[in-house]
Amino acid sequence: MPAQVLQRLTGPPERPATQPIMVNWAMHYGQAAVLGVLRSAIAQIGPRGPVASAKCTVVRLTSDQILENAAAVGAPPSTRLRTELVVDLLHQAVYAFTTGVVADALAARGGPGSGQRHAVLRPGRRTGVGPLPRTDAHGPDD
């Protein structure tokens, strides 16, 4: 299906009976690269760890559904076989958690992100916290 999505969205003639492997890989790796940059930005800002990776799994699944439905080649999740959904979810989760481990490790080299600094200076769940002063919002090297 990835090849069909890319072909529909970019305009080359479709070949529904075949899945051109290079087009298939281009869609897989292209989408993974774009969403990997997003996960890296999330880690740089502050949210890291398994919860951030779980959220990235949802973003990855949502991205797939949007592109597949926009290209009219995918079916809504409620109409798919459960086994297909489970396999898709597992694949997306492996991608998201693997990407998260790498993104989190790279982001940790730069110290805490702005979101983490905010949490330390203004701990707890409460309303009216507001933004940090500019001098506290960025790390020493920013």
Side-chain angles (χ1 to χ4, degrees), residues 43-44 48 102-112 141:
Q44 289 294 329
R48 297 178 187 158
V102 173
D104 290 348
L106 292 173
R109 297 185 316 175
D141 296 330

Side-chain angles (χ1 to χ4, degrees), residues 44-45 48 107 110-115 117 134-142:
Q44 289 294 329
I45 292 166
R48 297 178 187 158
S114 58
R117 286 190 293 276
R134 187 179 300 248
T135 56
D136 295 333
H138 301 288
D141 296 330
D142 291 346

Side-chain angles (χ1 to χ4, degrees), residues 64-139:
D64 276 356
Q65 282 300 301
I66 289 170
L67 292 173
E68 289 171 10
N69 290 314
V73 297
S78 60
T79 64
R80 294 173 57 196
L81 296 174
R82 286 190 181 134
T83 53
E84 287 179 0
L85 289 173
V86 169
V87 168
D88 196 22
L89 177 62
L90 288 173
H91 286 166
Q92 305 304 353
V94 167
Y95 161 80
F97 279 83
T98 303
T99 302
V101 167
V102 173
D104 290 348
L106 292 173
R109 297 185 316 175
S114 58
Q116 292 168 323
R117 286 190 293 276
H118 190 280
V120 167
L121 294 174
R122 306 261 168 82
R125 293 182 177 266
R126 52 197 165 95
T127 61
V129 172
L132 294 175
R134 187 179 300 248
T135 56
D136 295 333
H138 301 288

